Amino acid sequence: MSALTEYMNAWVAGSPTRIAERVAAGCVITECYGPVYRGRPRIQEWARTWFDAGGIVHSWTLTDHFSTPEREAAQWIFECTWKGERGTFEGATISRHVGGLISELREYETSAPLYDWDGTWH
């Protein structure tokens, strides 16, 4: 397993402690919709707050992934329940690592339904 896949599995397991254990003390996580979480304590607080508010990660499935000792990138399909609504979206993550832990992670989300272009835009 890699640092990123362990981090993703910790979200599926609903474990703020495991999430925090996969990031470096000074880690910075940038979400696709704007929030930036700085440092392991804030990241653990964010995860705990998200789960306490009823968030559930049903699955986080890799569709493509590569890893080096210092970097990882993945494309994925994410399924969760947030504010009582279950949803799925595709996205990607780019991360940097130091000492086997995530030191920086940035998320990107596909924000519209995908379609094969046929000469017109939807």
Side-chain angles (χ1 to χ4, degrees), residues 26-106:
C27 181
V28 176
I29 294 178
T30 304
E31 289 258 54
C32 57
Y33 59 94
V36 178
Y37 310 100
R38 298 179 192 279
R40 184 182 294 135
R42 180 63 69 173
I43 291 165
Q44 187 168 2
E45 177 187 7
W46 156 51
R48 185 176 16 261
T49 301
W50 194 85
F51 290 119
D52 287 350
I56 302 167
V57 178
H58 301 287
S59 63
W60 202 346
T61 306
L62 290 174
T63 59
D64 191 21
H65 176 245
F66 80 85
S67 178
T68 72
E70 295 84 27
R71 292 183 176 268
E72 273 186 272
Q75 294 181 78
W76 38 259
I77 300 170
F78 184 80
E79 183 177 5
C80 74
T81 296
W82 179 240
K83 295 186 177 181
E85 291 189 34
R86 191 168 180 151
T88 302
F89 62 91
E90 294 184 40
T93 301
I94 298 171
S95 63
R96 294 177 190 256
H97 305 157
V98 173
L101 297 174
I102 297 168
S103 61
E104 180 183 357
L105 184 143
R106 191 166 188 118

